Amino acid sequence: MPGLLLGDEAPDFEADTTQGRIRFHDFLGDSWGILFSHPRDFTPVCTTELGRAAQLAPEFSKRNVKMIALSIDSVQDHLSWCKDVNAYNGEQPAEKLPFPIIADKNRELAVKLGMLDPDELDKDGMPLTARVVFIFGPDKKLKLSILYPATTGRNFDEILRVLDSLQLTAYKKVATPVDWKPGDSVMVVPTLPDEEAKKLFPKGVFTKELPSGKKYLRYTPQPE
């Protein structure tokens, strides 16, 4: 099945959305972007996910991230579904969310991007869209891909966390260790010589001693 691999450029597709017709590269502009797909409108898990995404939209905006969703129903269905999502969040049932939803009624984009879940079928026996998360950098290239089955809802706080890691490590010569959160210490990348690391990280580089004697666990406070 066709799909995107890390480092691939996002296809510059055109699509109808709840906020009008878009061309994807123009929509992204110079921003980071997150595209997240849904199996179908008016489904329980998807509704909770869109509700959480809407609540976190200001956090994504602060990080210069354009959000866009995809579901295999029509624009009119999407607009009606938005009312339910807003009501779920305790808001007025308006036909609008802080981000557009792509209408992919014929599954053309889902097939192109490798988003279909072969184990989850609709009443006609057609595969539903899986819960995919694609994060694109300002260069329009895929930086992260997470694939969930239709039965498992996503954790949008985790998506924000990995986005913070992607943005930090894109511009600094560091990596983020297990369970890292913004503000925690980070790791100096192995390819950076010690002398250069000392210059780049004036707050200090701290090496953990290991039985092997290899000095590869090098930490530094998160750089600004």
Side-chain angles (χ1 to χ4, degrees):
M1 183 180 291
L4 287 180
L5 300 176
L6 295 182
D8 285 352
E9 183 173 88
D12 191 20
F13 60 83
E14 290 189 52
D16 292 319
T17 80
T18 51
Q19 296 181 16
R21 191 159 183 83
I22 64 149
R23 180 179 285 276
F24 193 49
H25 284 196
D26 291 341
F27 170 79
L28 290 175
D30 296 326
S31 301
W32 289 70
I34 175 170
L35 169 60
F36 50 105
S37 59
H38 296 271
R40 175 138 272 172
D41 293 7
F42 305 107
T43 51
V45 176
C46 297
T47 300
T48 64
E49 288 186 320
L50 278 184
R52 183 60 176 151
Q55 290 172 337
L56 289 175
E59 291 297 320
F60 284 98
S61 180
K62 282 195 309 189
R63 292 161 172 80
N64 189 32
V65 179
K66 295 277 189 70
M67 305 171 71
I68 189 165
L70 177 149
S71 185
I72 55 171
D73 288 290
S74 67
V75 168
Q76 196 54 51
D77 284 335
H78 291 350
L79 291 171
S80 182
W81 185 28
C82 287
K83 291 182 177 181
D84 288 0
V85 174
N86 283 312
Y88 166 77
N89 276 351
E91 308 287 345
Q92 288 296 317
E95 287 188 340
K96 188 175 182 181
L97 293 174
F99 45 83
I101 306 175
I102 295 169
D104 191 31
K105 196 170 182 180
N106 296 322
R107 294 174 169 83
E108 292 174 3
L109 192 52
V111 169
K112 185 174 186 177
L113 298 177
M115 290 177 161
L116 294 182
D117 184 345
D119 293 329
E120 292 292 328
L121 307 178
D122 65 12
K123 59 182 174 57
D124 299 318
M126 294 290 290
L128 295 173
T129 313
R131 302 184 191 284
V132 176
V133 178
F134 288 146
I135 295 180
F136 300 99
D139 59 0
K140 312 291 189 297
K141 292 184 178 179
L142 185 65
K143 306 301 181 185
L144 177 133
S145 173
I146 311 176
L147 177 62
Y148 297 75
T151 49
T152 300
R154 285 161 283 208
N155 184 326
F156 276 82
D157 293 303
E158 167 64 5
I159 293 169
L160 271 179
R161 188 192 75 88
V162 295
L163 182 59
D164 285 333
S165 172
L166 289 170
Q167 292 186 335
L168 176 64
T169 57
Y171 305 115
K172 305 292 183 179
K173 293 184 177 181
V174 297
T176 55
V178 63
D179 295 335
W180 174 87
K181 298 182 296 297
D184 290 351
S185 292
V186 295
M187 309 186 88
V188 179
V189 294
T191 54
L192 191 67
D194 285 338
E195 288 306 311
E196 189 175 345
K198 290 175 184 177
K199 294 175 184 175
L200 279 180
F201 306 116
K203 293 180 182 178
V205 176
F206 311 94
T207 303
K208 183 173 180 61
E209 297 297 327
L210 297 168
S212 67
K214 299 181 184 297
K215 301 184 182 300
Y216 57 89
L217 284 182
R218 297 181 296 169
Y219 293 86
T220 188
Q222 180 179 325
E224 300 297 328

